[in-house]
Amino acid sequence: MIGSQPDARGTVPALLLCCALVLGLCAAGSPVAGTGHADFPLDSATVAVDADRRLVRVHRGDELVPGTRVLAGTADSARLADEQRTWLAAGTIPQLPELGDSTMVRDALLDLHVLGTGSEVAVAGFAPAWRSVWPRDSALVAAALARTGHLDDAERVLGFLQRVQPASGAFAARYTPDGAPVSDGREPQSDSLGWALWAMAQVVAEIPPTKRPEFVERHRTLLTRSAAACLALVDNRQSLPPASPDYWETSEPKLTLSTAAMVHAGLVAGAQLSAVAGEHSRAAELSEAATRTRQAIRHGFEPAGYPRRLGGPASSVDLGVSYLLPPFVTDPDDRAAAVWRESAAKMARPAGGLAPGGSWRRDGVSWLTATSSHAMTTAFTGNREQAVRELRWLSAHRTPLGSLPEKVLDDGRPASVAPLAWAAAATLIAADKLADRSR
């Protein structure tokens, strides 16, 4: 566990959030049966570090040292605030003139920083049911930290993934902050392999070329195990991985595009990393497997319009199609890009954000995991105007203290957990891409 146990103010909201999570996961894989208006409590406006370097929930602005995620009014508040300012100054804060005086990018960086308090890696969120480490979320965090100049922090994320990964390569669905698998009945999620390799390639891209081989060598076990596991998953007549749970966190009887696309992205990244390590035969093997898998994805998913599940309807499109586009691959095909451009209309929700997929239940809720991820892809596909609009929407739907929540209700209110590491990381990656067009 990171930080303290929930305080008295957070006990009831935490229980409600846990109930909401269970109900949500039970319904997530069900066909859309109708419409509704869901309501989730906002667990906190943000989290902050107290005098004992523990995380605490914060609900009001006067509880914070201005411009920080430090609890005000303690003997150590000034020192801890200076430490956070120093950490920010050690990297870069992507600047977008179109966002005006919004503090969203800066706040997202601070949120990632404090969510990692006391551990090698940020937890997904501070509410009890979210106070774990998902490899998927961690991959986005590592990429965001590397792109904003916090390479040591990004490397610690990769070190955590390398430490917890078993010899088989198959990551658990999630881990405690100290690295123990969470035993809650969730199956391993094979897309985590692709996420880990993609994150490693993202971090390597931010390192001077002369230092890249040494960096890859430090994380050779993560590369070797993940690449071997990805190869094993597609070593079959179909060249596609078997069905596996993905970011919907539900058991999947059929292969999802999200899993197939991220395994493909992992093979691509693994080939790049193996080439950096000088292992050219391994790089060629991974590249050839990536080509076969990409062709199999086209054959299996493209004719139906890249649906969520193999054989599903085009209306079920979800984030999986975005994993066939930058920043996950550099050579997207026109059909996948066209489907992705149309996907937002199928995932749209009343407040202006997106649901996790077109077949998600119609409860009016926007999910910032999906919305921030869409903004990230938009930034990388060259539509600056649309990407800025999406970032402005994210900025306008933060909590009163500037954190990006997990959900936004149909009336625009932030809800559920805040801050959320996935949303903060994807938003940062999008902002960084727009701020630096040279990449």
Side-chain angles (χ1 to χ4, degrees):
M1 289 288 187
I2 286 181
S4 61
Q5 296 295 322
D7 59 22
R9 294 174 302 181
T11 302
V12 174
L15 292 173
L16 290 172
L17 281 165
C18 289
C19 292
L21 178 65
V22 172
L23 291 171
L25 291 178
C26 289
S30 304
V32 175
T35 59
H37 302 281
D39 194 359
F40 302 93
L42 181 62
D43 184 55
S44 64
T46 194
V47 294
V49 180
D50 71 7
D52 296 318
R53 296 182 182 276
R54 298 175 302 182
L55 286 187
V56 294
R57 292 177 175 83
V58 176
H59 302 267
R60 304 185 316 273
D62 60 4
E63 296 180 87
L64 288 177
V65 175
T68 74
R69 294 291 189 249
V70 173
L71 201 65
T74 76
D76 291 321
S77 294
R79 178 174 55 81
L80 292 170
D82 283 342
E83 288 181 4
Q84 287 190 3
R85 295 186 189 104
T86 300
W87 181 83
L88 283 173
T92 59
I93 302 173
Q95 302 293 322
L96 296 180
E98 297 98 327
L99 294 183
D101 59 359
S102 171
T103 61
M104 177 177 65
V105 177
R106 185 179 191 275
D107 291 341
L109 260 174
L110 279 177
D111 285 341
L112 289 186
H113 183 52
V114 298
L115 284 172
T117 299
S119 178
E120 301 161 86
V121 59
V123 291
F126 188 60
W130 284 258
R131 207 177 302 171
S132 298
V133 179
W134 275 261
R136 182 183 308 109
D137 301 48
S138 296
L140 287 162
V141 170
L145 291 171
R147 294 182 70 94
T148 53
H150 299 284
L151 285 166
D152 289 344
D153 299 85
E155 183 166 7
R156 278 191 287 273
V157 176
L158 297 178
F160 178 92
L161 293 176
Q162 180 165 263
R163 178 167 65 85
V164 302
Q165 187 179 34
S168 67
F171 287 103
R174 56 186 182 141
Y175 295 86
T176 63
D178 62 7
V182 176
S183 300
D184 61 356
R186 300 186 198 206
E187 305 167 52
Q189 298 171 9
S190 55
D191 63 335
S192 296
L193 296 163
W195 281 106
L197 289 166
W198 173 79
M200 188 172 173
Q202 288 283 297
V203 177
V204 166
E206 301 300 320
I207 297 172
T210 57
K211 297 183 178 181
R212 290 174 185 174
E214 179 185 354
F215 183 94
V216 172
E217 182 61 33
R218 291 201 296 273
H219 303 284
R220 177 177 290 275
T221 300
L222 180 63
L223 169 58
T224 300
R225 288 178 174 176
S226 300
C230 282
L231 285 170
L233 287 174
V234 300
D235 185 17
N236 53 61
R237 291 178 62 185
Q238 293 77 30
S239 295
L240 289 171
S244 168
D246 61 11
Y247 72 101
W248 280 35
E249 301 284 331
T250 59
S251 181
E252 293 292 345
K254 292 185 177 181
L255 175 64
T256 65
L257 179 57
S258 175
T259 293
M262 281 311 304
V263 169
H264 168 260
L267 291 166
V268 172
Q272 295 167 348
L273 293 165
S274 296
V276 170
E279 299 177 351
H280 298 294
S281 61
R282 186 62 156 177
E285 180 184 16
L286 289 162
S287 183
E288 188 274 334
T291 298
R292 286 189 291 105
T293 300
R294 185 68 186 94
Q295 291 171 344
I297 291 172
R298 286 195 184 103
H299 177 76
F301 286 90
E302 183 178 295
Y306 287 110
R308 168 168 169 74
R309 298 181 181 90
L310 196 62
S315 59
S316 68
V317 65
D318 69 354
L319 289 182
V321 71
S322 69
Y323 303 151
L324 298 172
L325 304 175
F328 300 99
V329 298
T330 57
D331 58 343
D333 63 58
D334 292 341
R335 177 59 178 153
V339 169
W340 173 80
R341 285 193 295 270
E342 298 167 358
S343 66
K346 298 180 175 68
M347 299 161 65
R349 290 299 180 262
L354 303 179
S359 58
W360 193 266
R361 59 193 176 276
R362 300 285 173 176
D363 58 2
V365 175
S366 300
W367 286 68
L368 267 65
T369 47
T371 311
S372 61
S373 294
H374 194 274
M376 178 176 69
T377 303
T378 304
F380 277 82
T381 54
N383 191 335
R384 183 183 185 88
E385 183 177 350
Q386 181 183 342
V388 167
R389 283 198 301 269
E390 293 175 346
L391 290 177
R392 283 175 174 161
W393 185 91
L394 289 164
S395 180
H397 290 83
R398 294 177 294 155
T399 70
L401 297 184
S403 287
L404 291 158
E406 182 184 50
K407 300 180 180 75
V408 169
L409 303 181
D410 60 357
D411 61 3
R413 286 179 293 147
S416 190
V417 179
L420 192 73
W422 177 334
T427 297
L428 280 165
I429 295 169
D432 180 73
K433 178 62 178 177
L434 295 178
D436 183 0
R437 302 295 293 176
S438 66
R439 289 178 177 163

